[in-house]
Structures are given as structure tokens and as C-alpha cells.
């Protein structure tokens, strides 16, 4: 049988990092590295997990592709379709809701002209609602990438999007 | 000022670096334990301390450790539960972010106590920036001989690894966590077998909360008996309470167990009273899953005694008139809050987070959300309230893991204490 070249692959550096992660688990338990390595894959392959990306990870970890799909569909952090350049996640659970999260979500939907879960037509922003981010003492909270923006209100959220938008124009 | 065990040095500049932490006596307990104490001695001290798990269930930590199967030749694992996903709870993140070495110190002692040479810190995926702080601290501990092979020249070796999740509340449940750590969906396992006998990779495994193990260094330094003198009755020691909602000073507070709820809410040392001078309406005292209580019942028990922040006092009156200490996520609501709308956000959360294995949980949470949506839109009626209660009662106790109960309790308690409100259309907040 002829071996098929994967359509995507990790950079040298990411490959090294994955090997290090795999070494954290006992021999034969490389499946444990799946969740951390899917995070690497999502970051390296444009912010989402295509079937090709998941199949590549399957090859890397010597797992069946279905084992990757099962996991990728279970955890909320994995995007299974392309997202905007900037993914805005607004927390909507009780404590954030008490402090006005709903108004922020409504405002951002209006401002961006999309509903939560959608991406703007120019591909800049994806708006998502998310559940408690363990920062309820500074609610409402918005997460963008690894960064938390805290003590938000409509005006601050508005400015935040404005700044990000301008930053992306370059 | 009350006694500080976990927060003693949290405000010191540079406490997140090994150098400053060590200068202030950090890792002394490891020296003491590895040189002068056997693993059994550690378990004994923790038993004497009366320390109970801070992850939510309050199970005595020393007792849990003594269940572990220490058969020679078998791997043992200790998993540090840093999933922190219970709405209203943000204490573990605070500790990890600001005092990471305290956790590592606690972890070394605890692994020694159960004879584990490998430990995983399972941290929720959204907290990548906190994981980097922990990883840096771990690296420093290795560099200084507190982790790795033959720690301090003894025959005890330990490796610690951080393992991120990817956003799934259910992975905070210990068997869901183990599945996730094995690279699978976070579906909880049926118990027995309990993890202490058959856990990660089929080996004996202990799972503890971040705050629980961060307490162990103090216990080893000062003795279990000393710790047991702090607190009240069987609620020994201090507890981190993360307070949020309509209060003047939201944040994480270390309180001595037994502090009165009234003092906690109104004194300037803690929450500083209700925002904008409004009246207190209700509190969810232990994270989203515990029963909500109206102001009268959170400040005083049904017997008219002051309600205290302790396992026993908060559960006084059972679920009729009491609640639980849970994870210490203290959510305060003022007089203008719609209890029903808040409940809807919780129910939506549990529907979203149900792993889907048990039909009562999977279907029940979806139905409850649907009915609550109808009610919030102003289209509900008396029958809907009864139906909600009926569904919640049918979920409770009929599921593989306690997420089902956690979804049922907020609904049952909100109806019990605030039934009249279910037929009023709430304003947008
Ligand atoms: C649905 C669910 C979610 C949980 N989430 C967490 C969590 O985020 N952090 C935690 O420490 N414990 C959580 N727990 C409790 C754990 O299952 C376990 O009891 C705890 O980590 C044990 O540690 P402790 O004895 O030190 O409290 C959760 C339990 C359930 C049922
Ligand atoms: S109770 Fe819910 S979350 Fe727990 S195992 Fe059953 S379906 Fe999954
Ligand atoms: S509810 Fe938004 S951070 Fe907790």
C-alpha cells in the first residue's frame, strides 16, 4: 500500500513540543496527549480543526481518526469550522448575567450585525457566548484568545471591538 | 483580622518566584516531611487536622488518602483538580495565579503521603495563561531540587505535569476527569470501582482539589492538631470564599470557618454590603449547583440562629430551609434580581454541560431549559411550574454522576422559595 502524504503537518518546533507532551504519559498511553495536541493543532492550522488536521493528529499519535473526531466534537474549545480572525467569547452564566452580560451580547450582536455563533462577512470577528470562565468576581467577562477582559460594560466592550477592528486594518 | 493560611503571603511582591517564596519559608514543610516523617505520618497529621475536600463534597482528605491501594509495584497517581468550572467559583484560579509554589509544595507532600511518583495538574483549557504560570513554577522547583529524581537526596522522586482540558464542566467530576486525562470524551464512569482502587490507566488514583492540597504545607509545618483548633466543630480550618454578584467588594476571601454570613456580606473586611445601598434578596452560597436561599434563610436558619459559613450551619434545615457550603462560590443577588432568569442561565449551563450518557440528565435539562425560556418570555403557567418540579425530581438521584443532582437542586429550591416569581415576566438586566 502506498503511504499518503498528509495534507497538513506541524512545523519542526510544534513537532518537538508534541513529542515533549507525549513523553509526559506512560509508554503506550500517548492517547493522553490528544487534548493538549489538538490545542496545538488548532493554533497552528488557522484556529480550527479540519478533517485533514484531525487525521494528521491521528497519524501523529497512532490513533484511529474516529478517536480524534470523538474528542474534538465533545470539547467546546475546538472549532470544527473556520472562525473569524478574532473570536470574541462573552460569558453568559449567572454571575456575569447578574452584572449585565446580556446587554453586552445584544450590543455586540447589533454592532457586528451577526448573531452569537456567527462570523462577520469580512471574516474579522466571530461572536460566541460561553459559560462561566472562573472570573466571576470581575464580571462581566469577555475572553479573546488567551486574554480575559474583565469588569466589562457596553461602552468598554464597544471600545474593545473598535480597537481590535482598527488594529486589524493594517 | 482572622488567621490566614493560604493567603498569608499572597500579596507579597514576587511571591510567584521560587526565590521570594523560599525566602519566606516556602518548601520548609517538604524538608521536614522528607527527612523526618514517613508517608503514614503525613496521612496521620492530615487526618488529625480534620481537613475536608474543598472541591465541593467536603470529604475528609486524610480518610480519602488511606483508601488508596498501596500494593507494591503498582503505579499510584495523584491528580490535582484545577478544572474550576462551577459557576461562581474562582478561588483556585486566584491561588494558582498568585501563589503557584504553594500548590507545588502541597502536591509534593501529598504525593509523598500516598507514595505517588507522578502527578498531573488537570487545568481547564481556558486558563492557558495560568497554566504557563504553573509551568514556570514547576520548572523552578525542578531546578532547585524539589522535583525530579531523589528530592533533597532522599529516595523519593516526583514528576509533575500540567494537562489542559478543553472546556467541559463535566471534566471536573473525578471520573470524567480521568477519562479526559486518558484522551477521551469526559464521560463519567460508574462507581464502584472507585479511583482509589482503579483510576488513571487502571491504577490507584487520588483526586484532590487545588485548595485542599494547598492547605497541607501549613498542616505539616504546624501540626494537624493546631489546624483543627481553627474553625468550628467539624468544619476545621479556613476556606476560600469567592464572592460575586451585587456586592461592593467582589473577590476571593480566606475566612475562618464559622464566620457569620451576615458579617461576611456586610462587613467592610469582606463583601462590604450590597451594591448601591439595595436590599439583599437571595444568595447561592456554594457555587451554582447548591440550593438558592432567600435573604431571611441565608442570614438566619429556620430556627432563628445566625447562619454561619461552615459545612454544618449552611446545611442546617436540609434542603427544605438550608443549602450547602459546596465549592465556596458565593453569589449575591439584590432586590431587583429576577430569580427565574438567573435560574435559566444555570439550567442552560447544565444542559450545555451534560455529557449525555444518562437520559434523565440529557433530556431533563433540555426540557427544563425549554420550559424556563417559555416562562421568562411571559408565556408560562402554573402547570409549567409543576412540570419543572416534576422533571427536576425525576433527575435527582437517577444519574451516573452528580451533575444531574446539580441541575435539579437550583430548580427545586428556586420554586420552593420563589414560586410566585415564576409567573412574572422579568426585565432585561
Ligand atoms: C459535575 C461536577 C463538577 C465538578 N467540578 C469540580 C471542579 O471544577 N474542581 C474540583 O476541585 N472539584 C470538582 N468536582 C468535585 C470532584 O469530583 C471531586 O470530588 C474533587 O475534586 C475531590 O477533591 P477534594 O476531596 O479535595 O474536594 C466536581 C464534581 C462534579 C460532580
Ligand atoms: S448525570 Fe449528566 S453529566 Fe453525569 S454522567 Fe449522566 S448525563 Fe453525564
Ligand atoms: S459567570 Fe462569567 S466568569 Fe463566572
Amino acid at each position: 500500500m502506498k503511504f499518503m502524504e498528509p495534507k497538513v503537518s506541524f512545523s519542526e518546533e510544534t513537532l518537538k513540543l508534541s513529542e515533549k507532551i507525549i513523553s509526559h504519559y506512560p509508554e503506550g498511553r500517548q492517547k493522553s496527549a490528544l487534548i493538549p495536541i489538538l490545542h496545538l493543532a488548532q493554533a497552528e492550522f488557522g484556529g480550527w480543526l479540519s478533517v485533514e488536521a484531525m487525521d494528521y493528529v491521528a497519524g501523529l499519535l497512532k490513533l484511529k481518526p474516529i478517536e480524534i473526531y470523538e474528542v474534538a466534537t465533545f470539547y467546546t474549545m475546538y472549532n470544527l469550522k473556520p472562525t473569524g480572525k478574532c473570536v470574541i467569547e462573552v460569558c453568559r452564566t449567572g454571575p456575569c448575567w447578574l452584572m449585565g452580560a446580556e446587554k453586552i451580547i445584544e450590543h455586540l450582536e447589533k454592532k457586528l450585525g451577526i448573531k452569537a455563533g456567527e462570523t462577520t462577512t469580512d471574516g474579522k470577528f466571530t461572536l460566541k457566548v460561553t459559560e462561566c470562565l472562573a472570573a466571576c468576581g470581575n464580571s462581566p467577562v469577555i475572553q479573546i484568545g488567551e486574554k480575559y477582559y474583565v469588569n466589562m460594560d457596553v461602552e468598554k466592550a464597544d471600545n474593545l471591538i473598535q480597537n481590535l477592528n482598527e488594529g486589524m486594518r493594517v | 483580622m482572622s488567621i490566614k493560611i493560604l493567603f498569608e503571603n499572597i500579596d507579597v511582591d514576587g511571591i510567584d518566584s521560587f526565590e521570594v517564596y523560599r525566602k519566606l519559608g516556602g518548601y520548609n514543610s517538604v524538608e521536614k516531611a522528607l527527612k523526618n516523617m514517613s508517608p503514614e505520618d503525613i496521612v496521620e497529621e492530615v487526618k488529625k487536622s480534620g481537613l475536608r475536600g474543598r472541591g465541593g463534597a467536603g470529604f475528609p482528605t486524610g480518610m480519602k488518602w488511606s483508601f488508596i491501594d498501596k500494593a507494591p509495584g503498582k503505579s499510584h497517581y495523584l491528580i490535582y483538580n484545577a478544572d474550576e468550572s462551577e459557576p461562581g467559583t474562582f478561588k483556585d484560579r486566584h491561588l494558582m495565579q498568585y501563589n503557584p509554589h504553594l500548590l507545588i509544595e502541597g502536591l509534593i507532600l501529598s504525593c509523598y503521603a500516598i507514595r505517588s511518583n507522578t502527578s498531573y495538574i488537570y487545568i481547564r483549557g481556558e486558563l492557558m495563561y495560568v497554566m504557563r504560570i504553573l509551568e514556570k513554577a514547576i520548572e523552578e522547583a525542578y531546578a532547585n531540587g524539589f522535583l525530579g529524581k531523589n528530592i533533597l537526596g532522599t529516595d523519593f522522586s516526583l514528576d509533575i505535569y500540567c494537562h489542559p482540558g478543553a472546556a467541559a464542566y463535566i471534566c471536573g467530576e473525578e471520573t470524567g476527569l480521568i477519562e479526559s486525562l486518558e484522551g477521551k470524551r469526559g464521560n463519567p464512569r460508574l462507581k464502584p470501582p472507585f479511583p482509589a482502587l482503579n483510576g488513571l490507566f487502571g491504577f490507584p488514583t487520588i483526586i484532590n482539589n487545588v485548595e485542599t492540597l494547598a492547605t497541607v504545607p501549613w498542616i505539616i509545618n504546624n501540626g494537624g492538631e493546631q489546624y483543627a483548633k481553627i474553625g468550628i466543630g467539624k468544619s476545621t480550618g479556613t476556606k476560600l470564599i469567592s464572592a460575586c454578584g451585587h456586592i461592593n467588594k467582589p473577590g476571593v476571601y480566606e475566612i475562618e470557618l464559622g464566620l457569620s454570613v451576615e458579617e461576611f456580606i456586610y462587613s467592610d473586611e469582606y463583601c462590604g454590603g450590597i451594591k448601591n445601598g439595595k436590599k439583599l434578596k437571595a444568595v447561592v452560597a456554594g457555587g451554582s449547583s447548591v440550593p438558592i436561599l432567600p435573604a431571611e434563610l441565608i442570614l438566619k436558619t429556620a430556627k432563628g440562629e445566625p447562619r454561619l459559613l461552615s459545612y454544618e450551619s449552611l446545611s442546617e434545615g436540609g434542603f427544605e430551609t438550608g443549602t450547602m457550603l459546596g465549592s465556596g462560590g458565593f453569589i449575591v443577588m439584590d432586590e431587583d434580581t429576577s430569580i427565574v432568569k438567573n435560574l435559566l442561565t444555570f439550567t442552560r449551563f447544565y444542559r450545555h454541560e451534560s455529557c449525555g450518557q444518562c437520559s434523565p440528565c440529557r433530556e431533563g435539562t433540555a426540557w427544563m431549559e425549554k420550559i424556563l425560556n417559555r416562562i421568562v418570555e411571559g408565556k408560562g403557567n402554573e402547570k409549567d411550574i409543576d412540570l419543572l418540579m416534576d422533571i427536576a425530581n425525576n433527575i435527582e438521584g437517577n444519574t451516573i454522576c452528580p451533575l444531574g443532582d446539580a441541575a435539579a437542586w437550583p430548580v427545586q429550591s428556586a420554586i420552593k422559595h420563589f414560586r410566585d416569581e415564576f409567573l412574572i415576566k422579568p426585565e432585561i438586566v
Side-chain angles (χ1 to χ4, degrees):
Chain A
M1 198 175 83
K2 215 175 143 213
F3 194 72
M4 269 217 303
E5 274 295 307
K7 291 203 189 102
V8 292
S9 59
F10 277 167
S11 67
E12 196 79 11
E13 199 185 328
T14 311
L15 256 182
K16 266 210 197 108
L17 196 52
S18 346
E19 273 159 25
K20 188 169 160 222
I21 293 173
I22 294 169
S23 78
H24 294 172
Y25 309 95
E27 277 286 315
R29 294 292 182 175
Q30 79 283 0
K31 184 167 177 177
S32 280
L34 177 52
I35 290 174
I37 286 181
L38 281 178
H39 283 308
L40 296 183
Q42 179 155 298
E44 184 133 332
F45 302 137
W48 69 293
L49 295 171
S50 61
V51 172
E52 288 82 12
M54 291 190 275
D55 290 351
Y56 172 71
V57 171
L60 196 69
L61 289 173
K62 304 186 187 70
L63 298 171
K64 295 191 215 75
I66 181 74
E67 294 177 272
I68 319 295
Y69 309 155
E70 273 174 0
V71 164
T73 51
F74 185 82
Y75 295 92
T76 318
M77 275 177 86
Y78 301 128
N79 300 313
L80 299 177
K81 47 182 212 261
T83 64
K85 271 206 186 94
C86 174
V87 182
I88 308 162
E89 304 193 62
V90 191
C91 175
R92 65 171 180 182
T93 319
C96 277
W97 170 77
L98 284 174
M99 304 307 284
E102 199 170 10
K103 272 193 187 141
I104 296 178
I105 296 168
E106 283 192 349
H107 177 78
L108 292 184
E109 286 185 332
K110 229 183 269 155
K111 184 176 172 88
L112 297 170
I114 49 174
K115 288 271 160 216
E118 295 175 353
T119 301
T120 53
T121 43
D122 60 8
K124 277 186 176 172
F125 293 103
T126 299
L127 181 66
K128 279 172 111 176
V129 283
T130 185
E131 303 294 350
C132 180
L133 292 166
C136 332
N138 299 97
S139 50
V141 183
I142 293 179
Q143 180 169 25
I144 299 177
E146 282 187 22
K147 203 164 156 49
Y148 278 26
Y149 297 85
V150 296
N151 302 317
M152 283 283 131
D153 56 28
V154 166
E155 202 187 321
K156 283 192 210 160
D158 194 83
N159 287 336
L160 177 64
I161 305 311
Q162 201 69 38
N163 290 341
L164 287 167
N165 193 22
E166 280 159 19
M168 265 192 270
R169 232 174 256 157
V170 245
Chain B
M1 280 291 278
S2 55
I3 180 153
K4 298 280 177 274
I5 288 177
L6 298 164
F7 277 6
E8 194 191 353
N9 293 326
I10 202 153
D11 295 326
V12 174
D13 234 13
I15 193 71
D16 58 339
S17 73
F18 179 86
E19 205 189 338
V20 174
Y21 184 76
R22 182 81 177 115
K23 227 179 247 161
L24 292 172
Y27 292 102
N28 282 354
S29 70
V30 174
E31 286 192 300
K32 176 173 177 182
L34 295 195
K35 296 197 172 145
N36 307 317
M37 296 171 80
S38 69
E40 288 71 26
D41 292 340
I42 311 249
V43 177
E44 203 45 45
E45 284 307 317
V46 172
K47 273 190 183 161
K48 272 192 224 154
S49 75
L51 175 65
R52 293 162 72 173
R54 304 298 194 220
F59 193 81
T61 306
M63 198 193 294
K64 188 191 248 183
W65 290 357
S66 60
F67 293 152
I68 192 137
D69 175 0
K70 296 196 201 73
K74 254 194 182 178
S75 304
H76 302 65
Y77 292 104
L78 191 141
I79 302 173
Y80 217 6
N81 191 343
D83 192 52
E84 182 129 277
S85 308
E86 172 88 2
T89 316
F90 45 101
K91 63 183 180 84
D92 296 337
R93 177 185 56 78
H94 195 89
L95 256 186
M96 293 188 278
Q97 187 168 348
Y98 298 111
N99 204 356
H101 282 285
L102 181 63
L103 317 196
I104 299 170
E105 187 175 351
L107 204 45
I108 300 171
L109 296 171
S110 311
C111 285
Y112 179 63
I114 67 156
R115 298 188 149 90
S116 162
N117 303 111
T118 311
S119 173
Y120 295 100
I121 301 179
Y122 186 100
I123 182 165
R124 64 180 292 183
E126 295 95 324
L127 295 180
M128 241 12 136
Y129 73 100
V130 178
M131 188 171 107
R132 295 187 210 293
I133 296 173
L134 288 176
E135 282 180 335
K136 182 175 156 271
I138 290 171
E139 228 169 79
E140 289 178 329
Y142 270 104
N144 287 282
F146 282 95
L147 285 176
K149 285 227 171 333
N150 303 107
I151 298 174
L152 302 178
T154 65
D155 60 6
F156 178 61
S157 304
L158 173 64
D159 288 309
I160 300 182
Y161 305 107
C162 290
H163 179 106
Y169 168 66
I170 195 57
C171 296
E173 194 280 333
E174 50 189 24
T175 58
L177 189 159
I178 290 174
E179 287 285 305
S180 180
L181 193 45
E182 292 183 354
K184 297 180 253 173
R185 297 164 81 94
N187 292 345
R189 298 176 180 173
L190 272 169
K191 292 188 263 191
F194 288 92
L197 293 180
N198 182 340
L200 183 63
F201 308 134
F203 292 113
T205 303
I206 293 287
I207 296 118
N208 273 125
N209 171 258
V210 165
E211 181 188 350
T212 310
L213 299 192
T215 307
V216 178
W218 195 96
I219 294 172
I220 296 309
N221 283 328
N222 300 278
E225 270 164 29
Q226 226 32 48
Y227 187 84
K229 284 185 194 151
I230 306 163
I232 184 168
K234 284 190 175 157
S235 296
T236 61
T238 64
K239 171 92 189 79
L240 298 183
I241 306 285
S242 57
C244 65
H246 300 132
I247 44 177
N248 284 318
K249 289 169 56 196
V252 186
Y253 296 99
E254 179 168 19
I255 58 119
E256 177 168 356
L257 284 162
L259 179 77
S260 86
V261 171
E262 181 155 7
E263 186 177 348
F264 183 67
I265 296 178
Y266 291 102
S267 106
D268 280 335
E269 194 179 334
Y270 305 105
C271 303
I274 310 300
K275 239 183 147 156
N276 301 323
K278 292 207 173 141
K279 282 207 202 86
L280 172 67
K281 180 171 187 179
V283 171
V284 174
S288 60
S289 49
V290 310
I292 187 170
L293 287 182
E296 320 79 82
L297 283 174
I298 189 68
L299 295 171
K300 284 198 165 47
T301 65
K303 288 187 197 150
E305 288 159 0
R307 184 83 74 180
L308 311 178
L309 290 168
S310 74
Y311 294 97
E312 292 73 24
S313 178
L314 280 167
S315 54
E316 167 73 44
F319 278 6
E320 269 316 304
T321 59
T323 180
M324 284 161 78
L325 179 61
S327 62
F330 198 88
I331 310 167
V332 180
M333 297 169 209
D334 73 13
E335 53 190 313
D336 298 333
T337 309
S338 159
I339 299 297
V340 183
K341 191 72 204 281
N342 183 68
L343 174 64
L344 169 61
T345 75
F346 287 172
T347 302
R348 186 171 63 192
F349 170 81
Y350 290 110
R351 190 265 304 149
H352 185 259
E353 302 301 332
S354 166
C355 83
Q357 284 189 106
C358 328
S359 5
C361 172
R362 184 187 62 240
E363 305 298 323
T365 52
W367 291 339
M368 292 196 303
E369 183 189 359
K370 209 167 154 193
I371 297 167
L372 279 166
N373 260 318
R374 190 155 74 216
I375 291 177
V376 163
E377 283 163 17
K379 295 180 198 144
N381 58 38
E382 282 289 336
K383 271 197 194 140
D384 284 327
I385 310 178
D386 293 334
L387 184 57
L388 259 182
M389 192 62 134
D390 192 44
I391 298 170
N393 291 344
N394 278 303
I395 299 175
E396 190 186 13
N398 290 321
T399 57
I400 294 177
C401 92
L403 186 140
D405 299 341
W409 296 338
V411 173
Q412 293 164 331
S413 56
I415 296 177
K416 198 175 304 154
H417 300 300
F418 297 97
R419 188 177 174 109
D420 292 350
E421 273 192 44
F422 280 72
L423 298 179
I424 308 168
K425 187 175 166 149
E427 307 262 313
I428 242 197
V429 178

